[in-house]
C-alpha cells in the first residue's frame, strides 16, 4: 500500500504519541487544569439586554427613551381573591388590605423608586374651591360597603387603572413596582426579585384566600440565569448518562468508554474554563455549550476507536492497531473538526451576543476535543487493557448489503430522494417567523405561568412606548398638542391586541373635571394653554413624593410618554402594530409629534428578523470556507462541488419537516443553519475521504470506492450520528425554548444528513465521478 507524505507524517506522529504516552497524558492533564481554573470566573448574567448587541438600533433607541423618562425595569404583583362577590371583586376589606400592605412593603424592595396600585392611586376630587389629591383607598380593612362600592366605581371608570392595575371586571388588582437599577452590581436584579419573592410568600401566607403571582421585566430578567442553572443541573447529567450508555452499547469496550468519557469531559471543562478566562457571561444559549461539546466530542473518539478495534480484529496488536487507526483518521478527523469549528465560529456574525458566546465556547470545545482525541485518547488507550470481541458477521454484511442496495438502485434513489427533498423544501416558506419572548421559558420556570396568569386576569405582558414631542418647552399644555395626543391614544385603543393605553391626556381630562366641581361634562381636555398649565402645576404640587409625573413627562415639558400595553400577540403582529402606529402619527400629526415606537417588546420583536439578516453573511462565509477546506483536503474540485448538495440539503429538509409539523419558528431559526452546517459536513467528509482514498491510492472505480467507504467508515458514521442525534435531542428538554428548538432542529438536520450521505451522495458520485481516470482496474473491496 503506497502512502502519501501526509500519511507518513501521521504514522510518525502516532508512533510518537504511543512512545511518549505517559508524558502526553501529563501534558494534557496539566493543560486541562490550567484552563479549568478559569471556570471560577464564570458568571450568569440576569439582564435581558444581553441578547442585544451595542450596535442594535432598537436597544439604542430604548436607552435614549429611558434617559428621558424613568427606567422601565418593573415588578408586577397580581392579586386575585379565590372567592369574592362579583359586585365587589378585589374591593373587599381583606383584599384591599393585602394590596395596601403589598404597596407599602414594595417601597422597601431594593432599588424601588415608585410603587403604583389601586390603593395609592392619586384620585382628584373637588371640595368647594379646592383640589384634593389623595389615595383612592383610605384605611382598607375598616371600610363600609358604600365606600367600597364607591372606590370600585371610581377605579373601573379610571382609564389609568382599568386593564393596567385593575381588571375590567374588578376581580384582579395589580401592584406595579418601578426599579432604578444603577447597573454597577450584577446581582441588582436578583436582589430586587428575591426580596419581592419573599414579600410574595409572606402575603400568600397571611392571606391564604388570595392568589398572588409576580411578573414584570425584572422577574423575567432573573429567570434567564435560573433557566440556565436548571438546564445545566439536569441536561448535562442526562447527557453524560446517555453518553456512557451509548458508548457501552456501541463500543462494547470498558476501556474505550472510559477514555471517551474522559475526553469529552475534559473538552467541556477546557472550553468553559477558557470562557471564564475570556470573561464570558453565561446565558441560556451559551450555557448549553457543555452539552453540545459533550455530544460533538464523541465523534472523533468513536472514529479512532472503531478503526482501532477493526484493526485488532484483523490480528494487529493494540499499539499497531492504534497507529494504523490514527493514520486512517488523522485527515478526516481534523477536517471534520475544522468544519465544525468554522460553523460555530460563524455565530460571531450574530446580532445577539449570547449566540456568539455559544459559538465561541463550542468552537473552543470542538478544537480541544480534536486535540484530546489525537493526544490523550491514543496515549490512554496505549496504556489501558483492551479486549476486543469478535463482531457478528451480520453487522459487517449489513454495511455490504447497504452498499449493494445503493449501487444497484442509484438512479432510482436520485429521483426518489430528489422528489422527497423538493416536496419538503416547498414547505420551508410556510414557516411563520414569530416570537413571544415570555414564551422563551417553559412552565417549569415560574415566570411563564405567572405572566400568563397576569395576561388572563389583569393586563397584557408586552408594552410599546412612545415619546411624543411638543412644539416647544411647556408645549404639552397646548390644546392642539393634547387633542392630537388624545386622538392617537384613542386610535391605539381600537387596535387589535391593545389592552390599555396610558396617556397624559387622561390626567388632563381628570383635572379638568375636578376643577369644575367633578361635573361629568367637564371630563374633557382644556381648550386654553395657560389654564392647562395651571391645572398641571396645581396637580404636581399636590402629588406625594415618589408618585409624581416624572415617569410620564420630560423635564422641560416638551414631550410626554405614551404606553400601549398589548396582549400575548406574536412579534409579527407587534411589528405590524408598530408600523401602523408610526404611520398614523405621520399622517395625522405635525412633524414634531412624529415618533418611533420603542421598548423591550419592540427590541424582542425585531431580534429574530435582525439576527437572520446578520447571520446570512456568517453562514455564507462559513459555507465558502468549509467548501474550500474540502476542496483543499480532497484535492478535487469535482468532489467538492458534489459535496455542496449533501452539505446544504439537510438543513432545508429540517426546515421543511418543521414547516409541516410545527409551522412557527423564532430566534432559533436565525442560527440553526450555522450551528448544524459544520456537523452536517462530518459524514460527508468521512465518506468522501474514504471514497477519494480508494480512487487515488487503490485505483478503484466509483462503485468499488463507494463499497470501500461503506465498509470502512459506515458503522462509525451511524454510531456517531446516533449519538449526535441523541445529544441534541436532549436539548429539546431545555426549559429555554430557543435551546429546545435549536436542539430539536439540529437533531432533525443531522438525521437528514446521514440519510442524504448514504443514499444520495453515493449515487451522485456514481453518476458524476464514474468517468474520472484512476490507476488500475476495479478490484474487490477488502475489509480494512
Amino acid at each position: 500500500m503506497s502512502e502519501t507524505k501526509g500519511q507518513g507524517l501521521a504514522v510518525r506522529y502516532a508512533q510518537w504519541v504511543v512512545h511518549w504516552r505517559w508524558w502526553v497524558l501529563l501534558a494534557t492533564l496539566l493543560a486541562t487544569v490550567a484552563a479549568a481554573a478559569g471556570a471560577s470566573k464564570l458568571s450568569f448574567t440576569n439582564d435581558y439586554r444581553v441578547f442585544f448587541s451595542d450596535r442594535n438600533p432598537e436597544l439604542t433607541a430604548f436607552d435614549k427613551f429611558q434617559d428621558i423618562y424613568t427606567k422601565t425595569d418593573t415588578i408586577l404583583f397580581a392579586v386575585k381573591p379565590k372567592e369574592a362577590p362579583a359586585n365587589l371583586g378585589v374591593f373587599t376589606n381583606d383584599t384591599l388590605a393585602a394590596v395596601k400592605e403589598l404597596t407599602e412593603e414594595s417601597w422597601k424592595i431594593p432599588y424601588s423608586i415608585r410603587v403604583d396600585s389601586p390603593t395609592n392611586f392619586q384620585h382628584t376630587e373637588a371640595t368647594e374651591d379646592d383640589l384634593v389629591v389623595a389615595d383612592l383607598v383610605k384605611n382598607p380593612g375598616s371600610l363600609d360597603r358604600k365606600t367600597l362600592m364607591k372606590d370600585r366605581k371610581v377605579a373601573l371608570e379610571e382609564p389609568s387603572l382599568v386593564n393596567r392595575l385593575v381588571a375590567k371586571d374588578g376581580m384582579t388588582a395589580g401592584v406595579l413596582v418601578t426599579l432604578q437599577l444603577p447597573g454597577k452590581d450584577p446581582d441588582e436584579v436578583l436582589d430586587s426579585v428575591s426580596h419581592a419573592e419573599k414579600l410574595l410568600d409572606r402575603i400568600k401566607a397571611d392571606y391564604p384566600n388570595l392568589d398572588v403571582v409576580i411578573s414584570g421585566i425584572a422577574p423575567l430578567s432573573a429567570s434567564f440565569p435560573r433557566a440556565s442553572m436548571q438546564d445545566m443541573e439536569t441536561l448535562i447529567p442526562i447527557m453524560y448518562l446517555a453518553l456512557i450508555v451509548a458508548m457501552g452499547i456501541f463500543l462494547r469496550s470498558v476501556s474505550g468508554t472510559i477514555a471517551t468519557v474522559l475526553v469529552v469531559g475534559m473538552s467541556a471543562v477546557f472550553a468553559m474554563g477558557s470562557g471564564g478566562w475570556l470573561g464570558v457571561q453565561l446565558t441560556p444559549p451559551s450555557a448549553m455549550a457543555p452539552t453540545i461539546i459533550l455530544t460533538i466530542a464523541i465523534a472523533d473518539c468513536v472514529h479512532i476507536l472503531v478503526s482501532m478495534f477493526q484493526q485488532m480484529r484483523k490480528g494487529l496488536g493494540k499499539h499497531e492497531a492504534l497507529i494504523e487507526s490514527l493514520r486512517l483518521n488523522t485527515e478526516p478527523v481534523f477536517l471534520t473538526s475544522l468544519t465544525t469549528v468554522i460553523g460555530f465560529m460563524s455565530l460571531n456574525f450574530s446580532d445577539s451576543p449570547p449566540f456568539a458566546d455559544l459559538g465561541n465556547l463550542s468552537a473552543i470545545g470542538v478544537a480541544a476535543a480534536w486535540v484530546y482525541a489525537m493526544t490523550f485518547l491514543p496515549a490512554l488507550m496505549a496504556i489501558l487493557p483492551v479486549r476486543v470481541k469478535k463482531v457478528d458477521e451480520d453487522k459487517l454484511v449489513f454495511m455490504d448489503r447497504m452498499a449493494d442496495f445503493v449501487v444497484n438502485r442509484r438512479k432510482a434513489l436520485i429521483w426518489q430522494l430528489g422528489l422527497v427533498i423538493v416536496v419538503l423544501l416547498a414547505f420551508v416558506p410556510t414557516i411563520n417567523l414569530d416570537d413571544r419572548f415570555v414564551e422563551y421559558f417553559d412552565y417549569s420556570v415560574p415566570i411563564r405561568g405567572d405572566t400568563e396568569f397576569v395576561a388572563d386576569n389583569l393586563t397584557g405582558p408586552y408594552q410599546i412606548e412612545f415619546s411624543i414631542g411638543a412644539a416647544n418647552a411647556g408645549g404639552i399644555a397646548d390644546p392642539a398638542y393634547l387633542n392630537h395626543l388624545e386622538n392617537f391614544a384613542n386610535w391605539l385603543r381600537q387596535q387589535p391586541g391593545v389592552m390599555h393605553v396610558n396617556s397624559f391626556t387622561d390626567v388632563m381630562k381628570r383635572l379638568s373635571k375636578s376643577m369644575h366641581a367633578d361635573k361629568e361634562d367637564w371630563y374633557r381636555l382644556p381648550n386654553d394653554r395657560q389654564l392647562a398649565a395651571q391645572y398641571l402645576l396645581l396637580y404636581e404640587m399636590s402629588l406625594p413624593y415618589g408618585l409624581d409625573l416624572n415617569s410620564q413627562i420630560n423635564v422641560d415639558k416638551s414631550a410626554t410618554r405614551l404606553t400601549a400595553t398589548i396582549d400575548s400577540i406574536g412579534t409579527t403582529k407587534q411589528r405590524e402594530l408598530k408600523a401602523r402606529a408610526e404611520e398614523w402619527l405621520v399622517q395625522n400629526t405635525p412633524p414634531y409629534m412624529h415618533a418611533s415606537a420603542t421598548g423591550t417588546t419592540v427590541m424582542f420583536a425585531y431580534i429574530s428578523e435582525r439576527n437572520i439578516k446578520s447571520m446570512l453573511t456568517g453562514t455564507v462565509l462559513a459555507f465558502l470556507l468549509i467548501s474550500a477546506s474540502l476542496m483543499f483536503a480532497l484535492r478535487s474540485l469535482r468532489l467538492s462541488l458534489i459535496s455542496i448538495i449533501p452539505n446544504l440539503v439537510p438543513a432545508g429538509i429540517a426546515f421543511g419537516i418543521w414547516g409541516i409539523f410545527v409551522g412557527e419558528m423564532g430566534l432559533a431559526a436565525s442560527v440553526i443553519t450555522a450551528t448544524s452546517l459544520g456537523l452536517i459536513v462530518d459524514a460527508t467528509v468521512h465518506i468522501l475521504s474514504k471514497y477519494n482514498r480508494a480512487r487515488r491510492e487503490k485505483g478503484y472505480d466509483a462503485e468499488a470506492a463507494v463499497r470501500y467507504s461503506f465498509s470502512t467508515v459506515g458503522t462509525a458514521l451511524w454510531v456517531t450520528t446516533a449519538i449526535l442525534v441523541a445529544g441534541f435531542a436532549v436539548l429539546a428538554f431545555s426549559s429555554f425554548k430557543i435551546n429546545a428548538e435549536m436542539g430539536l432542529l439540529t437533531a432533525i438536520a443531522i438525521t437528514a444528513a446521514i440519510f442524504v450521505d448514504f443514499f444520495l451522495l453515493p449515487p451522485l458520485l456514481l453518476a458524476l465521478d464514474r468517468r474520472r481516470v484512476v490507476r488500475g482496474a476495479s478490484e474487490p473491496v477488502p475489509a480494512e
Side-chain angles (χ1 to χ4, degrees), residues 524-545:
R524 59 178 188 253
L525 294 172
N527 56 10
D528 180 86
R529 176 168 176 164
Q530 294 300 323
L531 186 61
Q534 291 175 12
Y535 288 172
L536 182 58
L537 178 61
L538 181 60
Y539 179 63
E540 288 187 296
M541 292 176 63
S542 304
L543 291 172
Y545 176 77

Side-chain angles (χ1 to χ4, degrees), residues 595-645:
S596 296
T598 188
T600 308
T601 297
V602 174
M603 291 161 59
F604 277 100
Y606 283 89
I607 188 172
S608 297
E609 183 181 79
R610 190 171 297 283
N611 213 42
I612 288 173
K613 292 178 180 177
S614 65
M615 281 305 303
L616 281 176
T617 302
T619 303
V620 170
L621 180 60
F623 177 76
L624 293 175
L625 288 174
I626 288 173
S627 298
S629 301
L630 289 176
M631 184 171 64
F632 177 78
L634 298 173
R635 296 180 294 280
S636 170
L637 177 61
R638 185 197 302 264
L639 292 184
S640 64
L641 291 175
I642 294 174
S643 72
I644 291 176
I645 294 176

Side-chain angles (χ1 to χ4, degrees), residues 315-587:
L316 292 182
K318 182 178 68 173
H319 288 181
E320 290 76 12
L322 191 54
I323 291 170
E324 179 64 7
S325 175
L326 289 177
R327 183 186 77 83
L328 293 173
N329 288 289
T330 294
E331 181 180 83
V333 166
F334 170 75
L335 196 55
T336 56
S337 299
L338 175 63
T339 56
T340 303
V341 166
I342 291 173
F344 279 108
M345 288 297 291
S346 69
L347 290 180
N348 281 281
F349 285 87
S350 171
D351 194 55
S352 187
F355 290 105
D357 292 337
L358 171 65
N360 291 332
L361 291 175
S362 299
I364 292 172
V366 171
W370 172 74
V371 172
Y372 287 130
M374 297 300 295
T375 55
F376 180 86
L377 177 70
L380 184 60
M381 291 303 295
I383 295 170
L384 294 176
V386 178
R387 290 188 296 176
V388 176
K389 294 182 180 180
K390 198 166 184 65
V391 177
D392 296 337
E393 289 298 322
D394 290 343
K395 292 195 174 180
L396 292 175
V397 172
F398 174 75
M399 292 311 303
D400 294 335
R401 288 177 176 174
M402 183 182 291
D404 290 338
F405 173 81
V406 171
V407 170
N408 295 333
R409 296 181 57 86
R410 52 185 179 269
K411 291 183 179 179
L413 284 174
I414 289 177
W415 288 107
Q416 291 167 358
L417 289 180
L419 178 61
V420 171
I421 291 169
V422 170
V423 170
L424 289 174
L425 292 179
F427 285 92
V428 174
T430 66
I431 296 176
N432 180 30
L433 290 175
D434 213 4
D435 258 333
R436 295 172 180 83
F437 67 84
V438 169
E439 294 180 12
Y440 283 175
F441 305 95
D442 69 13
Y443 290 101
S444 67
V445 183
I447 189 66
R448 174 70 181 274
D450 290 349
T451 300
E452 290 188 358
F453 177 90
V454 172
D456 292 339
N457 294 280
L458 180 60
T459 189
Y462 307 123
Q463 292 184 331
I464 296 180
E465 308 268 16
F466 296 86
S467 178
I468 310 295
N472 46 47
I476 62 172
D478 181 28
Y481 172 85
L482 291 172
N483 281 308
H484 284 305
L485 186 62
E486 175 73 351
N487 291 337
F488 181 50
N490 288 334
W491 177 85
L492 273 175
R493 291 180 177 117
Q494 297 170 4
Q495 300 309 299
V498 176
M499 296 188 67
H500 179 266
V501 176
N502 193 35
S503 172
F504 172 67
T505 55
D506 296 329
V507 175
M508 297 306 296
K509 288 189 292 184
R510 189 168 67 249
L511 287 174
S512 175
K513 174 185 172 182
S514 297
M515 294 302 293
H516 292 84
D518 287 331
K519 294 179 181 179
E520 288 296 333
D521 57 344
W522 280 98
Y523 187 73
R524 59 178 188 253
L525 294 172
N527 56 10
D528 180 86
R529 176 168 176 164
Q530 294 300 323
L531 186 61
Q534 291 175 12
Y535 288 172
L536 182 58
L537 178 61
L538 181 60
Y539 179 63
E540 288 187 296
M541 292 176 63
S542 304
L543 291 172
Y545 176 77
L547 295 177
D548 52 41
L549 293 177
N550 289 341
S551 63
Q552 204 165 358
I553 61 177
N554 68 348
V555 176
D556 66 353
K557 295 181 174 56
S558 62
T560 67
R561 174 185 192 168
L562 186 144
T563 305
T565 302
I566 58 179
D567 203 354
S568 298
I569 60 176
T571 53
T572 300
K573 292 184 178 179
Q574 291 171 17
R575 292 193 296 269
E576 291 172 354
L577 175 61
K578 173 183 180 291
R580 291 199 310 272
E582 292 170 354
E583 181 63 23
W584 191 96
L585 287 172
V586 169
Q587 293 182 356

Side-chain angles (χ1 to χ4, degrees), residues 24-314:
V24 170
L25 287 178
L26 179 62
T28 52
L29 289 173
L30 289 175
T32 305
V33 171
S40 61
K41 300 179 181 296
L42 287 173
S43 62
F44 289 92
T45 181
N46 46 42
D47 188 355
Y48 65 88
R49 295 160 60 96
V50 74
F51 280 87
F52 307 92
S53 67
D54 293 337
R55 62 182 181 276
N56 184 282
E58 285 79 37
L59 176 61
T60 302
F62 187 49
D63 284 340
K64 291 179 179 179
F65 178 86
Q66 291 193 115
D67 288 341
I68 299 173
Y69 307 99
T70 55
K71 299 287 186 181
T72 56
D73 292 306
T74 56
I75 296 174
L76 175 64
F77 296 94
V79 180
K80 182 178 183 179
K82 295 177 181 177
E83 294 182 3
N87 61 343
L88 287 177
V90 295
F91 288 88
T92 63
N93 278 301
D94 190 46
T95 302
L96 289 176
V99 173
K100 183 175 178 61
E101 183 177 346
L102 260 178
T103 303
E104 293 176 346
E105 291 298 316
S106 292
W107 286 101
K108 301 176 184 178
I109 294 174
Y111 312 109
S112 171
I113 61 169
R114 183 184 180 100
V115 182
D116 292 286
S117 77
T119 58
N120 77 343
F121 173 70
Q122 297 305 289
H123 178 52
T124 58
E125 285 184 303
T127 303
E128 296 181 352
D129 294 332
D130 295 328
L131 175 68
V132 177
V133 182
D135 290 352
L136 173 61
V137 181
K138 308 176 186 68
N139 304 315
S142 59
L143 301 176
D144 56 33
R145 184 177 180 84
K146 180 179 178 181
T147 304
L148 291 171
M149 293 293 289
K150 176 189 175 184
D151 290 344
R152 180 178 184 275
K153 182 176 184 297
V154 171
L156 295 183
E157 291 177 351
E158 175 51 54
S160 298
L161 291 178
V162 177
N163 280 344
R164 179 171 172 259
L165 296 177
V166 177
K168 61 183 178 181
D169 62 0
M171 298 300 294
T172 310
V175 177
L176 182 64
V177 185
T178 302
L179 306 175
Q180 182 79 47
L181 300 173
K184 298 178 180 179
D185 186 346
D187 293 327
E188 291 168 356
V189 172
L190 289 179
D191 290 344
S192 298
V193 174
S194 296
H195 188 106
E197 289 172 339
K198 292 177 182 177
L199 173 59
L200 175 74
D201 292 338
R202 192 169 80 240
I203 293 295
K204 291 171 73 172
D206 293 344
Y207 299 89
N209 62 319
L210 301 178
D211 287 324
V212 189
V213 301
I214 187 172
S215 184
I217 297 298
L220 176 70
S221 295
S223 296
F224 285 110
R226 290 173 177 175
S228 301
M229 288 295 295
Q230 180 176 316
D231 282 353
M232 293 186 73
E233 291 171 358
T234 56
L235 298 187
I236 291 179
I238 291 174
M239 186 60 241
Y240 245 117
L241 178 61
L243 183 159
I244 294 172
V245 171
M247 289 295 95
I249 293 173
F250 291 125
L251 294 179
R252 288 183 294 179
S253 167
V254 174
S255 298
T257 300
I258 292 173
T260 301
V261 170
L262 289 175
V263 166
V264 298
M266 291 166 64
S267 302
V269 168
F270 187 94
M272 302 310 289
S274 300
W277 289 118
L278 295 172
V280 174
Q281 285 189 309
L282 293 181
T283 57
S286 60
M288 285 299 94
T291 306
I292 292 174
I293 294 166
L294 291 176
T295 302
I296 297 175
I298 296 174
D300 295 342
C301 300
V302 167
H303 282 288
I304 292 172
L305 291 175
V306 167
S307 295
M308 173 187 172
F309 296 157
Q310 286 178 345
Q311 298 302 318
M312 290 182 69
R313 292 187 188 103
K314 291 175 57 179

